Amino acid sequence: MILVSPPQLPPSQTIAMEKLAVELLTLISFYACTDGGRTGRSLALVSKRINYASRPARFYSVSLIESATQIEQFLACYEAECARAEDNLPRVRHLCLSFFGKALETAPPEQVPAHSPSSSPNSRAAFFASLQRRTQHWRNTQNNLDEQYNRVIPALVRAVAPDLYSLALVQAQWRSATVIRCQFPRLEELTLVGGDPSFLPFSFAPAGKPIYPALKRLHHICALVNKDIDFLQWAEHAPSLTHLRVSRMDYYPRVTVDTLEQVMSPSAPSNVFPHLEQVVVQPHPGPPPNPDGRPSTMALSYRDFLAHLRKSARKARVPVVLLPAMEAPNPAQGVDPSRGCILRLRGVWMNRIEGGPGVWDNRAIREEKTDSPSPSASASPSPTPPSPPLLPSRRW
C-alpha cells in the first residue's frame, strides 16, 4: 500500500479543524473523500482526533485498478477497520474496480541468437525452447492470477454490495470460476466494460428478486471481443432504470442489438423498463477506408448497421440519441492503451461522485449530436432533464 504524507496545513488552520465537533469533521470528511482513497489515507495521518472523525468516510470512494494483490490488501485493511470500529462502521459507497491490472507480465526477454539463412538446427531448437518457456510462464501466471481473483473477489463483492451507490467495473484477465449470489440494493449507477459481470450471472438469481432494484443509470461499454448482453434480462433485474447508454456497440453479437431494439420498441411489455427516459448509443469505430477510395464490404456493412440503428431510434418509445462513432484508439508507442482507458473511466467515475455529469451531460450529448455528419443521427426530439449528481443527495 502506498504511504501518503499527511497534508501540511498552517498551524492556525490545524487548530481550527481540531476544535470542530466530531460530527462536523465526519461530515466534512465525506465531502473530501471522493478521489478513490488518497484523501482518506491522508486524513488518517493528520492526528488521532482527525483519524477518529474521518474513519467512517475513509472508504467512501475506493479505486482498485492496479492488481489482484492491491484488492487483497485493501480487503484485509477494510475488514480490520470494520472489526475495530465501535460505531459508525466504515462503508464503501463508490467503487472503481479493474481486473486488468499489472499483475500479468511476460517473462523477461532472453538473448536469442539472431537467425540467418545459415542458422543451425541447434539455434532453432533454442528459439522454440525459449518460446515454450514464455508460454508456460504466461499460463502459470494466469493460473495464479485466476486463483487469487477467485479468492478475493467474492469476499470483496459480498462485503461492499449492500452499501454501494456507484460501481465502475472493468473485466479482463480473470477467467472467473466463481458465482456470487448477492444483491446491490442501493446501487444507483453502474458502468460495465466487457459485458455483464461473469461472476454474477442472471440465471443464478432467485426468481422475483432483482439484483439491481434501485439502479437508475446503466452504461455498457462493449469490448473488442464482445459478449452477449441481454437487455430483456436487465429489464427484469433493474426495474427502476431511467437512463441507458451503450458505447462501442457492434452488430455482433445479435443478442445485444436485438434485445436493445426490443426494450426500446413501443410494443415492449409494460414491465420492461417502465421508467426509462433516455437511451444513448455510440457505435464502434468504422472500418478504415480502402486505399483506392472504393467502399469495402466491411464499409458497406457498417453503413447498413448505422442505418439500422437510425431506423430503430426513430421508432423507439423513448428519446434515443445516436452519437457519432467512437474513434479508434491511436496510442503512442510504448503506451498501454488499456491503461489509458481505465484511467479515463476512473476520471468519469470520480466526476460523478463529485457531482459532475460524467457521460450523462445532456449539453455535451446535444453538441456531439450537432457535430455529427448525419442529420438523422438522432431521434431525440427533446432534451432530458439534467443528470442528478451522486454527491449532494448522498446518504451517509
Side-chain angles (χ1 to χ4, degrees), residues 83-110:
R84 64 186 291 190
E86 299 177 357
D87 54 3
N88 292 330
L89 287 175
R91 302 184 187 279
V92 180
R93 299 300 191 185
H94 305 278
L95 177 63
C96 183
L97 182 61
S98 172
F99 302 151
F100 208 119
K102 299 182 295 185
L104 189 60
E105 298 175 350
T106 57
E110 299 180 6

Side-chain angles (χ1 to χ4, degrees), residues 353-389:
I353 300 173
E354 295 169 352
V359 299
W360 307 104
D361 186 354
N362 292 308
R363 181 179 59 183
I365 288 177
R366 289 196 295 274
E367 289 174 357
E368 287 188 81
K369 215 171 47 174
T370 303
D371 295 338
S372 173
S374 171
S376 59
S378 170
S380 177
S382 59
T384 57
S387 168

Side-chain angles (χ1 to χ4, degrees), residues 249 251 281-284 286 299-314 322-325 374 376-377:
M249 188 172 183
Y251 30 78
V281 179
Q282 185 173 30
H284 70 97
L300 294 175
S301 299
Y302 185 74
R303 185 183 65 184
D304 293 342
F305 171 61
L306 294 183
H308 182 78
L309 288 180
R310 295 189 192 103
K311 182 178 179 180
S312 300
R314 286 193 294 268
L322 182 59
L323 298 178
S374 171
S376 59

Side-chain angles (χ1 to χ4, degrees), residues 166-331:
S166 74
L167 171 63
L169 178 61
V170 182
Q171 304 174 84
Q173 286 193 209
W174 177 33
R175 298 173 299 188
S176 172
T178 303
V179 173
I180 306 173
R181 291 179 172 86
C182 68
Q183 287 181 298
F184 293 79
R186 294 181 173 87
L187 191 67
E188 298 178 0
E189 187 157 329
L190 175 61
T191 301
L192 296 172
V193 181
D196 298 341
S198 56
F199 55 87
L200 199 66
F202 291 132
S203 57
F204 282 81
K209 292 186 177 181
I211 298 178
Y212 312 99
L215 188 65
K216 302 293 185 183
R217 296 174 184 265
L218 171 63
H219 184 195
H220 262 293
I221 305 175
C222 301
L224 292 175
V225 180
N226 290 336
K227 300 178 181 178
D228 291 351
I229 302 173
D230 190 336
F231 289 104
L232 291 175
Q233 289 187 329
W234 275 100
E236 179 181 350
H237 289 278
S240 302
L241 195 74
T242 60
H243 290 73
L244 173 62
R245 175 165 177 159
V246 185
S247 299
R248 202 185 183 87
M249 188 172 183
D250 202 346
Y251 30 78
Y252 292 107
R254 292 300 306 178
V255 171
T256 303
V257 180
D258 293 343
T259 57
L260 179 61
E261 292 178 349
Q262 293 176 44
V263 300
M264 296 190 309
S265 171
S267 60
S270 58
N271 61 343
V272 172
F273 292 143
H275 308 289
L276 191 63
E277 298 176 5
Q278 185 188 58
V279 176
V280 180
V281 179
Q282 185 173 30
H284 70 97
N290 275 345
D292 58 5
R294 299 173 58 185
S296 62
T297 303
M298 294 179 61
L300 294 175
S301 299
Y302 185 74
R303 185 183 65 184
D304 293 342
F305 171 61
L306 294 183
H308 182 78
L309 288 180
R310 295 189 192 103
K311 182 178 179 180
S312 300
R314 286 193 294 268
K315 295 181 179 180
R317 61 186 173 96
V318 295
V320 178
V321 177
L322 182 59
L323 298 178
M326 181 179 288
E327 295 183 2
N330 187 22

Side-chain angles (χ1 to χ4, degrees), residues 91-150:
R91 302 184 187 279
V92 180
R93 299 300 191 185
H94 305 278
L95 177 63
C96 183
L97 182 61
S98 172
F99 302 151
F100 208 119
K102 299 182 295 185
L104 189 60
E105 298 175 350
T106 57
E110 299 180 6
Q111 297 297 326
V112 181
H115 295 290
S116 65
S118 60
S119 295
S120 65
N122 289 337
S123 63
R124 288 178 60 86
F127 169 76
F128 286 113
S130 171
L131 184 62
Q132 185 177 12
R133 286 194 296 271
R134 288 170 180 268
T135 303
Q136 187 61 44
H137 170 83
W138 187 91
R139 288 175 178 171
N140 292 339
T141 305
Q142 180 66 61
N143 290 336
N144 293 337
L145 191 64
D146 292 339
E147 181 181 353
Q148 193 173 17
Y149 275 130
N150 286 327

